[in-house]
Amino acid sequence: MPEGLEAEIWRRAATPLVGRVIVGGWADDRSSPAGLVEEVVGARISGVRRLGKIVLIDVRPRAARRGSRSEVRTIGLHFGMTGRLVIDGAAPIERLAYASGRDDPAWDRLILRTSPTDHRGGGAVGGDGSDPALRLNDPRRLGHVSLDADLSHLGVDLFAVTAAALTEAFANRRVALKVALLNQDVVAGLGNLLADEVLWWAGLSPHRSVDSLDPTEIGRLASTIRRRLPIMLRRGGSTTGTLSPDVRAGCPPCPRDAGSLRREEIGQRTAVWCPAHQH
DNA sequence: CCAAATGTTTTCCC
DNA sequence: CGGGAAAACATTTG
């Protein structure tokens, strides 16, 4: 379930890390580039950003050592379907939909400990026995950690969507609207639930080819995205929409027009939509 | 035992 | 190179 909204919740939760120095940690090398922890130990966290579904931790090495890079490095947290972030022992999202409710340390993929300095309260942060500053827990290991990844292929961020950006992203493509919205190179951050949700609100069929949309429809889609996302973010994430996991599972009558919701596979993902009002 | 699950990535084919 | 379909990744949940 981690889509752009969950990444934004985690990004906000991780902002207290800015200013702290990474003093140690551990990375599962099946999920992270080899030597990642050694690369960032001693570095100060200079920023926490988000791009699409990816949370980015910028770190500034303390000094140029021989053979090491002195410029800012960026740790990318990619959550896959089951990755969760725990900051200073607190999980902003306790339980992910469609994932385990347990928090087994065996599923930890990245642990970063930071120095006690710069932490409000002054207590130890990530010292012996205490909670690490950052913990990425991912049972299914479908997520991963990147270092200085090239993210230039990503499309417009879901919170920056405009009609013009969609028009440009849809140009020269002839795929189903639902497939295009799930493509991170088109819009970065929309996942299966958010894509179905915004199409439901915009009244657009997931089957429509993107090259068949007229400017009015693209404008309606863009404004729907801009309007619905902040509401769902406030409510707690991508499961809080009209087409919640419960609705998706049960396929009750459409809440808008009492027609029947349809559940079918589009682009190898489950799509839920209302043929009565989505055209 | 079985089916389905929020996300990528790869591979093969047209 | 642009797609589309399908499989793969690894595991839990109901």
Side-chain angles (χ1 to χ4, degrees):
Chain A
M1 185 208 60
E3 304 185 21
L5 298 186
E6 284 67 31
E8 176 61 17
I9 289 168
W10 286 323
R11 194 220 99 221
R12 293 179 181 183
T15 54
L17 302 185
V18 173
R20 297 195 211 165
V21 172
I22 297 171
V23 295
W26 171 86
D28 171 4
D29 53 15
R30 278 215 278 164
S31 300
S32 301
L36 176 124
V37 170
E38 296 77 75
E39 295 264 8
V40 300
V41 161
R44 188 179 297 273
I45 296 173
S46 59
V48 180
R49 297 176 291 132
R50 179 193 57 76
L51 204 48
K53 302 171 182 174
I54 309 167
V55 171
L56 299 164
I57 315 279
D58 294 320
V59 304
R60 204 184 305 276
R62 121 194 85 181
R65 287 168 302 174
R66 255 163 37 94
S68 72
R69 300 165 51 162
S70 59
E71 62 267 36
V72 170
R73 314 294 302 273
T74 299
I75 303 167
L77 306 176
H78 309 244
F79 299 97
M81 288 204 289
T82 52
R84 294 187 326 139
L85 198 58
V86 183
I87 300 294
D88 293 332
I93 299 173
E94 205 59 52
R95 189 203 206 293
L96 287 171
Y98 310 110
S100 171
R102 291 186 294 136
D103 181 6
D104 191 327
W107 301 331
D108 284 346
R109 307 304 174 201
L110 175 68
I111 289 173
L112 292 179
R113 298 180 181 280
T114 59
S115 69
T117 56
D118 294 316
H119 180 55
R120 58 185 169 356
V125 178
D128 293 311
S130 66
D131 291 314
L134 183 152
R135 193 158 64 82
L136 175 63
N137 186 262
D138 179 14
R140 287 176 56 184
R141 213 192 290 272
L142 290 171
H144 69 278
V145 180
S146 64
L147 186 61
D148 301 324
D150 175 13
L151 303 173
S152 59
H153 59 91
L154 289 177
V156 58
D157 183 77
L158 76 172
F159 281 102
V161 164
T162 60
L166 287 185
T167 302
E168 193 186 339
F170 289 167
N172 306 316
R173 289 181 195 268
R174 296 193 57 182
V175 273
L177 186 49
K178 172 75 186 284
V179 173
L181 292 181
L182 287 181
N183 184 342
Q184 299 301 293
D185 295 352
V186 175
V187 178
L190 291 183
N192 201 37
L193 273 54
L194 288 178
D196 280 353
E197 184 75 16
V198 298
L199 289 177
W200 185 88
W201 281 95
L204 293 168
S205 163
H207 290 290
R208 284 284 293 282
S209 174
V210 290
D211 71 343
S212 75
L213 296 175
D214 65 36
T216 308
E217 291 170 324
I218 291 182
R220 199 180 344 139
L221 179 57
S223 60
T224 299
I225 291 171
R226 300 179 68 90
R227 204 169 302 146
R228 299 313 309 175
L229 295 190
I231 294 172
M232 294 174 72
L233 177 63
R234 235 176 291 130
R235 291 181 186 164
S238 54
T239 58
T240 64
T242 301
L243 304 181
S244 66
D246 281 351
V247 169
R248 300 177 66 84
C251 258
C254 174
R256 174 176 290 190
D257 55 31
S260 289
L261 288 177
R262 180 178 296 172
R263 217 180 122 87
E264 65 184 303
E265 194 168 284
I266 301 175
Q268 288 99 255
R269 311 299 303 284
T270 301
V272 174
W273 64 294
C274 172
H277 84 266
Q278 292 177 249
H279 303 288

